[in-house]
């Protein structure tokens, strides 16, 4: 047969006038096709009548014709190279390999019953102001509050955590802690008269002692004005107003006192099921004292309320109580539910509550509106880019987000306004919100998230009272989110095991509206609500859905110290 001019079709592209010499073996034609399409011979298939053209095929049986089109199958280019290291799945990794693969924070080695200290230090990392304040701390030769040696050790320890790849050994800080607070250097008793290694200590006492040692750390300035308070007084200390009235002599003048507090207590009684009720039980107490008007011991009602709430609010679950019958502390196992978001206005004085109520209520609405916008953007992103022409008319869509215990909150989403046109006022937008009911919301109708955030910030700043804004480190909203937990596992106070839990967003920046941070900094998605679990040197991701298991109810890990951070208005 003569030489034919044929066509080949590969990946939708047709190649014309390719010579096919029927006197030569098919291998020559296959080589020509490979050079034309860049498909390697070992993965190229040329489809002919009855199957695939092979190097030893018979042209008489194939019976090619002049101008015939052959279909070619195969991917061009070289095959991908195998990985330099074998693939290891997450479920096959150990804790250290998981930490490296997931870019987990660094854990701390246990130096002999030091889990109480490790868990406490990890949760304290969720206080960002502490890290910045330690960075500017300079020890002073003058005597004063706090402990400069322990403060320096804490600063150096956190610096080491930031530069260590593996588990960190906090030997320097442990030595400074035991020197500053000798009780943390006590030895465990073995038998009737013997002693063993170092004894287990209380994480809540460790929390209190460390923060008390930081009283000399300077505070942050406000609007260029030097700080009048120390860091602890700004960001960690609240002020409690205590009013005491005599139940047996109502005419007796009540006594009022004020006290600075580092934490609030949550009493756990036989009927306590929720943290909120346990705190109120601790704030409203009956005590006996001598009455000046009656001249004898009488019953008084003490009502305590917060007249200042700090940006970082510590809640102490009072899980250890002294048992007279056994002569030592015992753990209260009862399950107590704690909220992930906490409204502290019920714990405030009436005066402070009235100041914060407007910004508190508006921030709740804004949080719901932000969640609704995220849903709209996710739906739009998953549906792909819109092919419709942009609409220049202003149309408001009422996207309602019902909330438990409250009315639904409308989220008004405005389409782009034509150049030179007057945007709708808030009243006009609300009046027209019913017009868009039942219609889908297009992501193109949303403005960039930073535009909304700027408007929300201006609105909330206008609602914050001037004296509250000037009080650096005080909560401006009364709304808190849980960012850290220290848990205790076991049945006794002088034994067991402590573990720290920190919300991921408290340690890593959060990405807003899918915008990457400058410098390639790794950022979390705004919907990432998972946590880190710090079990000494072992660090793992702890799902948000499992936080309810830390409420207690047995010898397993029970929430003991909780750190709440005030929701910012930005």
């Amino acid at each position: 047969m003569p030489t034919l001019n044929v066509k080949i079709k590969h990946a939708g592209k047709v190649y014309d006038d390719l010579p096919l010499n029927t006197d030569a073996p098919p291998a020559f034609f296959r080589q020509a096709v490979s050079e034309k399409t860049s498909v390697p011979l070992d993965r190229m298939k040329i489809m002919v009548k009855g199957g695939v053209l092979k190097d030893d095929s018979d042209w008489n049986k194939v019976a090619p014709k002049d101008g015939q089109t052959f279909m070619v199958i195969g991917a061009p280019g070289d095959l991908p190279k195998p990985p330099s290291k074998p693939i290891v799945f997450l479920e096959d990794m150990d804790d250290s390999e998981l930490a490296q693969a997931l870019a987990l924070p660094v854990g701390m080695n246990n130096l002999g019953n030091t889990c109480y200290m490790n868990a406490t230090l990890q949760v304290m990392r969720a206080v960002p102001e502490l890290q910045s304040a330690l960075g500017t701390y300079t020890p002073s030769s003058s005597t004063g509050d706090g402990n400069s040696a322990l403060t320096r050790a804490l600063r150096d320890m956190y610096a080491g955590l930031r530069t260590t790849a593996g588990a960190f050994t906090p030997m320097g800080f442990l030595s400074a802690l035991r020197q500053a607070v000798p009780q943390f250097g006590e030895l465990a008793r073995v038998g009737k008269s013997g002693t063993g290694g170092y004894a287990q200590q209380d994480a809540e006492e460790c929390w209190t002692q460390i923060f008390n040692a930081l009283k000399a750390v300077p505070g942050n300035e406000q609007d260029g004005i030097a700080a009048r308070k120390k860091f602890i007084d700004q960001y960690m200390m609240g002020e409690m107003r205590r009013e005491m009235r005599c139940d047996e002599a109502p005419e007796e003048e009540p006594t009022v006192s004020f006290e600075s507090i580092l934490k609030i207590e949550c009493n756990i009684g036989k009927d306590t099921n929720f943290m909120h009720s346990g705190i109120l039980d601790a704030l409203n107490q009956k005590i006996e004292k001598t009455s000046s008007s009656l001249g004898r011991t009488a019953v008084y009602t003490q009502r305590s309320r917060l007249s200042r709430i700090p940006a970082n609010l510590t809640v102490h679950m009072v899980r250890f109580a002294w048992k007279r019958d056994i002569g030592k502390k015992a753990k209260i196992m009862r399950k107590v539910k704690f909220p992930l978001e906490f409204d502290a206005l019920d714990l405030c004085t009436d005066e402070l509550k009235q100041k914060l109520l407007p910004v508190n209520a508006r921030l709740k609405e804004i949080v719901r509106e932000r969640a609704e916008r995220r849903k709209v953007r996710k739906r739009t992103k998953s549906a792909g880019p819109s092919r419709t022409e942009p609409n220049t008319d202003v149309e408001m869509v009422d996207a309602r987000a019902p909330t438990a215990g409250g009315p639904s909150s409308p989220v008004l989403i405005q389409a782009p306004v034509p150049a030179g046109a007057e945007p709708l006022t808030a009243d006009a937008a609300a009046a027209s919100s019913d017009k868009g009911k039942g219609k889908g919301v297009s992501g193109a109708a949303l403005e960039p998230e930073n535009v909304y955030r700027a408007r929300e910030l201006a609105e909330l700043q206008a609602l914050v009272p001037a004296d509250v804004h000037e009080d650096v480190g005080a909560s401006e909203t009364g709304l808190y989110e849980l960012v850290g937990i220290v848990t205790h596992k076991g049945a006794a106070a002088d034994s067991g095991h402590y573990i720290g839990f920190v919300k991921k967003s408290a340690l890593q920046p959060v990405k807003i509206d899918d915008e990457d941070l400058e410098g390639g900094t790794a950022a979390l998605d705004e919907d990432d609500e998972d946590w880190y679990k710090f079990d000494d040197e072992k660090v793992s991701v702890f799902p948000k859905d499992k936080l309810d298991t830390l409420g207690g109810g047995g010898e397993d890990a029970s929430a003991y110290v909780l750190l709440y951070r005030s929701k910012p208005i930005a």
Side-chain angles (χ1 to χ4, degrees):
M1 287 185 289
T3 299
L4 307 175
N5 288 325
V6 297
K7 301 177 182 179
I8 59 173
K9 185 176 182 180
H10 174 254
K13 185 177 180 180
V14 177
Y15 299 86
D16 296 325
D17 299 330
L18 186 69
L20 189 160
N21 186 0
T22 55
D23 292 332
F28 287 88
F29 179 67
R30 282 171 47 82
Q31 180 64 40
V33 173
S34 176
E35 294 174 359
K36 198 74 171 178
T37 60
S38 300
V39 179
L41 288 170
D42 57 349
R43 63 171 186 266
M44 182 183 68
K45 293 181 180 181
I46 302 176
M47 310 307 297
V48 296
K49 184 178 180 181
V52 179
L53 181 67
K54 298 181 179 179
D55 289 345
D56 57 355
S57 296
D58 187 353
W59 283 123
N60 291 322
K61 292 182 180 180
V62 175
K65 297 179 181 179
D66 193 52
Q68 181 178 341
T69 300
F70 291 89
M71 180 67 69
V72 179
I73 300 175
D78 296 331
L79 286 171
K81 296 181 179 180
S84 56
K85 295 182 179 180
I87 297 175
V88 181
F89 295 97
L90 291 178
E91 55 266 28
D92 298 326
M93 295 181 180
D94 58 25
D95 291 325
S96 61
E97 291 172 331
L98 273 173
Q100 184 177 3
L102 300 177
L104 299 177
V106 175
M108 296 184 185
N109 290 314
N110 193 313
L111 303 177
N113 280 338
T114 58
C115 58
Y116 69 93
M117 180 190 74
N118 291 349
T120 298
L121 292 174
Q122 294 286 15
V123 173
M124 287 174 61
R125 293 174 70 184
V127 182
E129 297 88 1
L130 173 60
Q131 309 301 319
S132 59
L134 287 173
T136 59
Y137 171 69
T138 302
S140 174
S141 58
S142 60
T143 58
D145 293 334
N147 186 296
S148 60
L150 189 59
T151 302
R152 288 197 306 270
L154 183 65
R155 178 194 61 192
D156 297 341
M157 187 272 302
Y158 279 134
L161 275 178
R162 290 191 292 269
T163 57
T164 301
F168 183 77
T169 302
M171 180 59 74
F173 179 80
L174 178 62
S175 300
L177 178 65
R178 286 173 174 167
Q179 185 174 2
V181 189
Q183 78 176 67
F184 294 130
E186 295 176 351
L187 298 178
R189 295 182 180 180
V190 179
K192 293 184 178 180
S193 58
T195 57
Y198 287 102
Q200 178 67 285
Q201 299 293 335
D202 191 307
E204 184 274 327
E205 292 180 2
C206 182
W207 179 279
T208 301
Q209 293 293 347
I210 292 176
F211 274 115
N212 284 336
L214 302 178
K215 288 184 177 179
V217 176
N220 291 339
E221 62 181 22
Q222 172 83 350
D223 299 329
I225 302 175
R228 295 189 297 270
K229 295 181 179 179
K230 300 297 185 180
F231 158 77
I232 292 294
D233 297 324
Q234 281 184 335
Y235 294 100
M236 304 301 301
M237 301 292 286
E239 184 181 67
M240 188 72 74
R241 179 186 186 274
R242 305 192 189 278
E243 182 179 280
M244 196 174 298
R245 293 180 179 272
C246 182
D247 294 356
E248 302 177 41
E251 69 282 357
E252 184 177 313
E253 191 71 19
T255 58
V256 177
S257 61
F258 291 87
E259 176 187 359
S260 295
I261 59 166
L262 181 62
K263 61 183 182 295
I264 54 178
E265 309 282 358
C266 174
N267 289 345
I268 303 177
K270 61 180 181 178
D271 298 323
T272 306
N273 295 317
F274 300 94
M275 186 190 79
H276 187 269
S277 59
I279 294 175
L280 288 178
D281 180 61
L283 296 180
N284 302 315
Q285 294 185 341
K286 297 286 187 180
I287 62 174
E288 290 186 354
K289 64 183 290 289
T290 302
S291 170
S292 58
S293 61
L294 298 177
R296 58 176 176 83
T297 301
V299 177
Y300 283 76
T301 297
Q302 179 177 268
R303 185 177 186 272
S304 303
R305 290 295 183 270
L306 289 163
S307 54
R308 181 189 190 268
I309 47 179
N312 302 285
L313 182 66
T314 303
V315 178
H316 172 214
M317 295 283 196
V318 186
R319 287 205 170 272
F320 299 117
W322 181 261
K323 296 291 185 180
R324 294 182 180 178
D325 52 342
I326 60 176
K328 63 178 184 178
K329 283 183 178 181
K331 184 177 180 179
I332 301 173
M333 302 289 190
R334 186 175 183 84
K335 183 178 180 64
V336 178
K337 294 184 178 181
F338 52 86
L340 303 185
E341 295 188 352
F342 181 48
D343 189 342
L345 289 192
D346 286 345
L347 313 181
C348 299
T349 61
D350 293 339
E351 180 183 4
L352 181 58
K353 184 186 299 184
Q354 292 303 316
K355 287 182 179 180
L356 300 184
L357 190 57
V359 65
N360 178 287
R362 180 61 187 126
L363 181 57
K364 289 179 181 178
E365 295 175 356
I366 287 175
V367 169
R368 292 194 291 267
E369 293 169 6
R370 290 174 180 173
E372 187 63 30
R373 290 198 299 269
R374 286 197 299 272
K375 290 180 183 178
V376 172
R377 287 192 169 95
K378 283 188 174 182
R379 287 198 300 267
T380 305
K381 187 175 181 180
S382 62
S386 174
R387 297 180 180 273
T388 57
E389 292 296 325
N391 182 12
T392 56
D393 295 331
V394 174
E395 182 171 279
M396 309 304 295
V397 179
D398 185 5
R400 300 190 178 271
T403 57
S408 58
S409 173
V411 182
L412 302 180
I413 306 171
Q414 182 174 343
V417 179
E422 187 71 17
L424 285 180
T425 63
D427 293 339
S432 63
S433 63
D434 291 337
K435 177 182 177 182
K437 285 185 177 179
K439 298 184 180 180
V441 180
S442 170
L446 288 174
E447 298 177 272
E449 184 63 22
N450 59 357
V451 175
Y452 290 101
R453 296 297 175 100
R455 275 202 300 263
E456 292 165 353
L457 176 61
E459 181 181 359
L460 292 172
Q461 284 178 332
L463 295 175
V464 177
D467 58 335
V468 175
H469 175 69
E470 293 170 0
D471 187 359
V472 180
S475 172
E476 296 180 334
T477 64
L479 284 176
Y480 289 84
E481 64 173 337
L482 184 64
V483 295
I485 309 171
V486 176
T487 64
H488 178 267
K489 182 178 182 179
D494 54 358
S495 63
H497 183 59
Y498 289 96
I499 302 174
F501 296 82
V502 180
K503 193 174 183 181
K504 292 172 69 175
S505 59
L507 300 180
Q508 294 176 247
V510 177
K511 181 168 53 178
I512 304 297
D513 195 17
D514 292 334
E515 292 183 358
D516 294 328
L517 300 181
E518 295 182 0
T521 304
L524 296 174
D525 186 83
E526 199 171 6
D527 289 331
D528 193 337
E529 297 288 330
D530 288 338
W531 289 56
Y532 290 123
K533 176 182 178 181
F534 295 95
D535 187 356
D536 287 329
E537 74 279 0
K538 300 176 184 177
V539 182
S540 58
V541 174
F542 192 79
K544 171 191 174 184
D545 298 338
K546 290 187 177 181
L547 287 175
D548 187 58
T549 63
L550 306 180
E555 294 187 15
D556 208 353
S558 306
Y560 184 42
V561 178
L562 299 101
L563 177 64
Y564 284 90
R565 179 157 179 80
S566 179
K567 281 182 173 288
I569 62 175

